[in-house]
Amino acid sequence: VEFVPHVRIVAMDENVVANPSVIPELIPVQIMPPLLSADLVQHDSTFRNGSIRLLFTTRKNVVYASFLLICVVSAAYFSIILLSNSHDKNEMTKSNMNDTEVPFPTPHTAQPTIDTNLSLQPTPALIRNRQQLIYNLVLPIYSSSGAITIFNDTSSPQYRALRWMSEKDNFLIEINKNPKRIIERYVLSVFHFSTCNDDCLSPRFFLKAGVDVCFWNDIVAGALLGVVSCDINRFVKEIDFGKTYGNGDKFLTGTIPHEVSQLKQLESLTLTNNHLKGTLPSSLYELLRLALIDISSNDIEGTIPENNGLNSSLAYMSYRNNKLTGTIPGSLGLNPNLMHLDFGSNKLTGTIPRELSRLEQLKRVKLRNNNLTGTLPSSMGQLQRLELFDISHNRIEGTVPEEIGLISSLYDINFSSNMLTGITPQIFCGLDKLELLDLRRNRKDGIYLQGSLQCLCDADSNTILKEMKIYVNIYYVECTCCSF
């Protein structure tokens, strides 16, 4: 018989003693003085029978309690499901009644995974999930205060774009694998809501739910009307709204959103011949691949933004026929590859900046029909690739610098309708590629043209002069060769 210290265990039957693992549930444990295990068998039979009844009673209670617990848990589970379904139905009803009901939750730092099995009629829960995903992605575009302002304004293009993408757009894409394409989709959606009112033509083909942005185009009279073009990686490289339908209708109204600067692979932006208003976003110069900007024939106001010098790809700039004011920024000289510059038919003032002479690749300069003053910079003679130089219909004074006659590539010169004086025709004699020379309406208090242009008519000359327009007193004559 072994000695059991401090613990007295009352055994009720042989099975319990043989299986001591059930003892902690059924047998009371008492702290007692040390006893020999032989004392355990000396107990009254009445106590043994009572303990056996206690055993069966306890098992029955455990069964009843377990059954009751299962019932309570099941009832609670089904109640939660019923309440959740009722809440979703109420939200859907509110959303239909009030178009601004869907909230924008506070962004999370963790990036959740989007459900790619999107339905055409997403549930409110899925809409909220999409909103959060897109919101987290586009938030870095804005400052914290700016994001609060634009997304709290239910009429803002940003709010409408985010809502369209989360509620109506069922474009299937793995957002975590290619978030940049989601950002581009958002930017183009903002562009649509910024530049297209109810009367514009682009909604029927530009904002296509469930369609890759690379195919946001239209077919007119059997021809593809290309609006968006993509590179081999399916990032946007070109936006072209410069085409019109046969009836002359124009596509765009509204303003150019600064979010366009998030299209990092954009190479060409053509928005000519529309009804765009507002100002030019300075962030356009942040597009390092952008080679062409053409916003001519719109109603753009404000000044020409200063160039930050980051974009070395820019080759073509046309802001012609708008309502731009202010001066021509000298920072344009920071575009080393610029070849075409057209700021004609605006309301620009000031002088022609000398910094333009840094543009060694420049071939065409069109500054006609503004309010430019001052004199022609002699440094323009450094532009040895210049082919066309048009400063007509301004208020340029002084004489034509002799350095202009050193630009052998010039074939089109239009200095008409200015206030130039003392023009010496001989400075043009070395321009053997010259085809058009327009010096009309440059009279200021007397004769402004002195000398002969016979050098342009010599048989030995390579000049192929097609037209010459020069002002004589109050008349002008058109001739192939003129002598004065």
Side-chain angles (χ1 to χ4, degrees), residues 176-190:
N176 285 334
K177 290 186 177 180
N178 213 338
K180 292 182 180 179
R181 295 193 64 200
I182 294 296
I183 294 176
E184 288 200 341
R185 194 173 187 85
Y186 167 77
V187 169
L188 291 178
S189 301
V190 172

Side-chain angles (χ1 to χ4, degrees), residues 162-219:
L162 185 55
R163 184 152 192 180
W164 176 81
M165 290 182 66
S166 59
E167 294 184 11
K168 298 180 181 180
D169 186 18
N170 62 331
F171 182 62
L172 305 181
I173 190 170
E174 295 182 33
I175 192 170
N176 285 334
K177 290 186 177 180
N178 213 338
K180 292 182 180 179
R181 295 193 64 200
I182 294 296
I183 294 176
E184 288 200 341
R185 194 173 187 85
Y186 167 77
V187 169
L188 291 178
S189 301
V190 172
F191 180 87
H192 166 78
F193 288 112
S194 295
T195 61
C196 187
N197 294 325
D198 294 335
D199 57 346
C200 80
L201 297 174
S202 70
R204 67 180 183 181
F205 64 87
F206 185 65
L207 200 66
K208 291 184 177 179
V211 177
D212 193 320
V213 296
C214 300
F215 299 98
W216 283 7
N217 300 300
D218 195 18
I219 296 178

Side-chain angles (χ1 to χ4, degrees), residues 13 68 103 121 134 160 197 313 317 330 377 385 397 448 470:
D13 56 31
L68 180 60
Q121 295 180 345
I134 302 168
R160 296 170 67 189
N197 294 325
S313 302
M317 294 180 67
R385 288 183 172 86
E397 299 178 323
Y448 69 93
I470 53 179

Side-chain angles (χ1 to χ4, degrees), residues 42-273:
Q42 298 177 1
H43 294 283
D44 187 78
S45 60
T46 304
F47 179 77
R48 290 170 58 87
N49 295 334
S51 297
I52 292 172
R53 287 193 300 272
L54 177 61
L55 172 64
F56 287 104
T57 303
T58 304
R59 286 180 175 175
K60 186 183 296 183
N61 289 340
V62 170
V63 173
Y64 289 156
S66 299
F67 179 75
L68 180 60
L69 181 60
I70 291 173
C71 292
V72 171
V73 172
S74 299
Y77 176 76
F78 286 112
S79 298
I80 292 173
I81 291 178
L82 291 174
L83 289 174
S84 177
N85 290 339
S86 176
H87 178 71
D88 285 348
K89 290 180 180 178
N90 290 337
E91 278 200 357
M92 183 63 75
T93 302
K94 290 179 180 179
S95 179
N96 293 334
M97 294 176 62
N98 185 358
D99 192 47
T100 64
E101 183 65 26
V102 180
F104 296 105
T106 303
H108 302 296
T109 56
Q111 189 65 260
T113 302
I114 194 169
D115 180 8
T116 57
N117 297 317
L118 306 182
S119 62
L120 293 176
Q121 295 180 345
T123 64
L126 184 55
I127 289 175
R128 287 193 299 271
N129 184 37
R130 291 184 191 174
Q131 281 180 347
Q132 186 67 67
L133 288 165
I134 302 168
Y135 184 71
N136 288 346
L137 283 175
V138 304
L139 187 60
I141 298 176
Y142 311 99
S143 64
S144 56
S145 59
I148 294 174
T149 301
I150 61 177
F151 287 113
N152 282 343
D153 181 4
T154 58
S155 63
S156 71
Q158 294 81 8
Y159 176 95
R160 296 170 67 189
L162 185 55
R163 184 152 192 180
W164 176 81
M165 290 182 66
S166 59
E167 294 184 11
K168 298 180 181 180
D169 186 18
N170 62 331
F171 182 62
L172 305 181
I173 190 170
E174 295 182 33
I175 192 170
N176 285 334
K177 290 186 177 180
N178 213 338
K180 292 182 180 179
R181 295 193 64 200
I182 294 296
I183 294 176
E184 288 200 341
R185 194 173 187 85
Y186 167 77
V187 169
L188 291 178
S189 301
V190 172
F191 180 87
H192 166 78
F193 288 112
S194 295
T195 61
C196 187
N197 294 325
D198 294 335
D199 57 346
C200 80
L201 297 174
S202 70
R204 67 180 183 181
F205 64 87
F206 185 65
L207 200 66
K208 291 184 177 179
V211 177
D212 193 320
V213 296
C214 300
F215 299 98
W216 283 7
N217 300 300
D218 195 18
I219 296 178
V220 179
L224 177 66
L225 185 62
V227 176
V228 178
S229 300
C230 297
D231 59 19
I232 59 174
N233 297 316
R234 310 212 65 74
F235 289 112
V236 177
K237 73 172 185 178
E238 180 180 0
I239 298 176
D240 186 355
F241 272 98
K243 303 178 179 67
T244 59
Y245 289 111
N247 57 7
D249 290 336
K250 300 186 177 184
F251 290 137
L252 306 178
T253 57
T255 61
I256 304 172
H258 73 88
E259 285 87 351
V260 172
S261 63
Q262 298 301 312
L263 301 175
K264 301 302 183 181
Q265 306 302 314
L266 191 65
E267 299 175 3
S268 176
L269 179 64
T270 303
L271 306 176
T272 184
N273 198 30

Side-chain angles (χ1 to χ4, degrees), residues 308-322:
N308 53 21
L310 297 177
N311 186 341
S312 60
S313 302
L314 195 59
Y316 187 104
M317 294 180 67
S318 180
Y319 299 162
R320 173 180 49 85
N321 195 21
N322 279 282

